[in-house]
Amino acid sequence: MDAQLLQWLSVNLRWFHLVTGAAWIGASFYFNWLNNNIRPAGGDDPDPAVKGEVFAIHGGAFYRVSKYEGAPARLPAILHWFKWEAYFTWITGFLLLGTTYWYDAAAMMVDPAVRALSSGAAIGVGAASLLGGWLLYDGLCRSPIGQRPTLLAGIGSALLVAGTCALFEVLAPRAAAMHVGAMLGTIMAANVLFVIIPGQRAMVDAMVAGRAPPLGAGAAGALRSLHNNYLTLPVLLVMVSNHYPAAWSGDWGWLIVLALCVCGVLVRHGFNLRGQGRSRPFVVSWIGAGGLCLVALATLRPGPAASESGAPPVSTTQAQAIIATRCMPCHATEPTLPGFVAPPKGLALEDRATILANHEKIASQVEARVMPLGNLTGMTDEERAVIVAWARGL
Ligand code: HEC
C-alpha cells in the first residue's frame, strides 16, 4: 500500500481509537464512581426498589441518580446501553495492530536476535495471544475457581506472567509489549460482548416477557465489569509506553511490562478504596506511583563513559559512516528502501549536525535494538556497540 496513504489511515485510526477509548473508559469510570458513591435514599423515594442515590453538580446543573438493587417494576420507555464504545475501541485497536504490526510483520514483529520467525508465524503468535488469553481467562472465570476471587486473581496473574514471558521469548520486544496490552484489551472488550451485555439482555428480555429478571446474570456481569475496571490503567500504561524503549526493551523487558501492569492496578485500587470511603486510600495509589518511579530507576542504564572503558573514543565520522549504511536507506530526504517515500518521523540522518543533535535518540533506539527497523539493513552487534560508545563519549 502507498506509504503516505498508510500514514493517513494510521493517524485517523489512532484518533478514532483514542476517542472511542476515552468514551469507554469515561463511562466505565463514571459508573464505578456512581457505585462507590451511592448512599441510601433516605426514605423519601416513593419507589421501594430504589436502594440508593447520588446527587451531583456538573456543568451548571444538579443531577440525582438512583440505583436499583434488582430491577425496576416496569421497564422505562428509553433504556440506555453502553456497548458501542467498547466494541469500537476494540475494532479500531485491532485495525491499528493489524496495520502497524501484522501488515509489516517482518520489520515490526520479528527480531532475529530473539527468534528467527517467519512473518506468518509471528502473526500467528500475535493472534493466538489475543484469542488464547481470552479463552483461558473466560474458562477460569466460568470454572469453580471463578467463585473464589483471591484464587482467581492469583491464577490469572500467573497466567499473565507466563503469557508475557512467552511473547517476549518469540516476538521483537516492542511487538511483545504491544501484544500484552492488546491481549488485556481484548479480554476487556470480550467481557462486554460475551458476558456483560448478554446478561443485561437476559434481564431485559425476561422483564418484557413478564418474568422476574435473572439477577445472577447481572451479578456475573458486575464481576467482569470489576475486572475491566482493574485492567483499564495497566492497558493504558502499556499502550502509551510503546514508543519508549525504556518501558519494554533489554533483558528484563517482560518484567518491566509486568511491573507497569502491577503499578497500574495499584493506582486504580487506591481510587476504588477512596470511593468506598476507606481511610487513607491514596497510600495504595502512592505505592503504585512510587513503584513506577522504582521501575524507571531500575531500568536506567548509565553505562561507562567512553574514557573510563579504556577503549579509544569513537569519532563522529566513524558513527556517521555506520549511520549512512544502516540508517539512511530509510532516514533520508529521499529514502532508497522500497516502501519508504519520506524519512520516518521526519528524521533524515544525512548531515553531521542532525546526527549530533539526535545522538541520544539514536543511541537509545540502537541500544534497545528497535532501530534499524526489523534490522532490515543488517546492523551488526559491533556496530551497535560503536554507536552507543560514540553517543556516550560526546
Ligand atoms: C527500514 C527502515 C528503517 C531503518 C533502516 C531505520 N529506521 Fe529508524 N525509523 C523507521 C520508522 C518506520 C520509524 C518510525 C517508528 C514509529 O512510528 O514508531 C523510525 C523511527 C526512528 C526514530 C524516532 C523514534 C521515536 O519514536 O521518536 C529514531 C531516533 C530512529 N528511527 C533512528 C534510527 C537509527 C539510528 C537507525 C540506524 C541505526 C534507523 N533508525 C534505521 C524506519 C527505519
Side-chain angles (χ1 to χ4, degrees):
M1 199 190 295
D2 180 73
Q4 219 125 3
L5 188 64
L6 202 62
Q7 282 185 28
W8 276 116
L9 193 66
S10 188
V11 167
N12 281 292
L13 265 179
R14 256 162 237 258
W15 185 44
F16 201 170
H17 187 53
L18 269 176
V19 171
T20 51
W24 181 17
I25 292 168
S28 155
F29 278 16
Y30 176 64
F31 281 101
N32 190 60
W33 178 88
L34 275 184
N35 271 327
N36 285 334
N37 286 281
I38 293 275
R39 299 289 178 264
D44 65 339
D45 200 302
D47 190 342
V50 168
K51 284 294 186 276
E53 63 184 9
V54 65
F55 279 95
I57 184 165
H58 180 78
F62 289 95
Y63 293 81
R64 177 184 190 176
V65 183
S66 305
K67 182 183 177 182
Y68 287 79
E69 185 65 29
R74 263 183 301 124
L75 267 184
I78 299 173
L79 184 62
H80 295 283
W81 292 71
F82 294 82
K83 56 182 177 180
W84 292 108
E85 302 89 338
Y87 299 163
F88 274 111
T89 306
W90 188 83
I91 292 168
T92 49
F94 184 72
L95 289 175
L96 262 180
L97 190 73
T99 48
T100 315
Y101 285 91
W102 296 12
Y103 175 72
D104 202 3
M108 296 298 287
M109 298 179 76
V110 180
D111 179 350
V114 176
R115 201 162 294 249
L117 288 185
S118 67
S119 293
I123 295 171
V125 168
S129 70
L130 304 193
L131 188 64
W134 162 249
L135 291 178
L136 277 173
Y137 159 82
D138 188 51
L140 265 184
C141 289
R142 291 179 194 274
S143 77
I145 296 168
Q147 307 299 321
R148 302 171 63 184
T150 320
L151 190 62
L152 179 65
I155 298 184
S157 308
L159 282 175
L160 177 62
V161 173
T164 305
C165 289
L167 281 169
F168 273 83
E169 275 293 308
V170 285
L171 296 185
R174 180 175 158 185
M178 183 47 94
H179 279 81
V180 173
M183 179 171 73
L184 296 177
T186 299
I187 287 178
M188 291 171 64
N191 268 339
V192 176
L193 178 65
F194 295 120
V195 180
I196 298 172
I197 294 296
Q200 290 176 178
R201 175 120 355 251
M203 289 164 74
V204 169
D205 286 350
M207 289 175 74
V208 170
R211 287 181 276 115
L215 297 180
L223 183 69
R224 301 294 181 105
S225 209
L226 183 70
H227 292 171
N228 278 6
N229 175 264
Y230 276 103
L231 289 177
T232 37
L233 294 192
V235 168
L236 285 178
L237 200 51
V238 173
M239 295 286 167
V240 297
S241 63
N242 208 242
H243 274 282
Y244 305 94
W248 38 259
S249 65
D251 292 345
W252 300 97
W254 61 274
L255 192 58
I256 302 173
V257 169
L258 286 170
L260 293 185
C261 290
V262 172
C263 296
V265 166
L266 284 175
V267 171
R268 185 68 238 164
H269 190 51
F271 277 89
N272 287 347
L273 290 180
R274 176 174 178 266
Q276 292 158 15
R278 305 284 186 88
S279 62
R280 306 176 70 190
F282 278 132
V283 173
V284 182
S285 287
W286 284 117
I287 294 176
L292 269 185
C293 300
L294 282 181
V295 172
L297 282 177
T299 55
L300 288 183
R301 276 173 287 185
S307 52
E308 287 167 26
S309 67
V314 179
S315 71
T316 302
T317 313
Q318 259 174 294
Q320 194 173 1
I322 296 175
I323 290 170
T325 47
R326 305 303 186 198
C327 314
M328 269 177 51
C330 299
H331 288 281
T333 327
E334 289 182 6
T336 50
L337 213 82
F340 287 84
V341 288
K345 295 253 162 157
L347 188 63
L349 298 171
E350 284 161 332
D351 59 281
R352 207 178 158 90
T354 313
I355 291 175
L356 280 171
N358 287 287
H359 72 276
E360 293 278 9
K361 260 192 194 169
I362 292 173
S364 90
Q365 298 283 333
V366 167
E367 191 177 25
R369 314 185 68 87
V370 185
M371 291 291 146
L373 195 66
N375 205 5
L376 291 182
T377 47
M379 188 174 218
T380 64
D381 286 349
E382 291 73 36
E383 286 170 333
R384 280 185 205 280
V386 170
I387 292 289
V388 172
W390 157 73
R392 296 260 157 80
L394 284 176

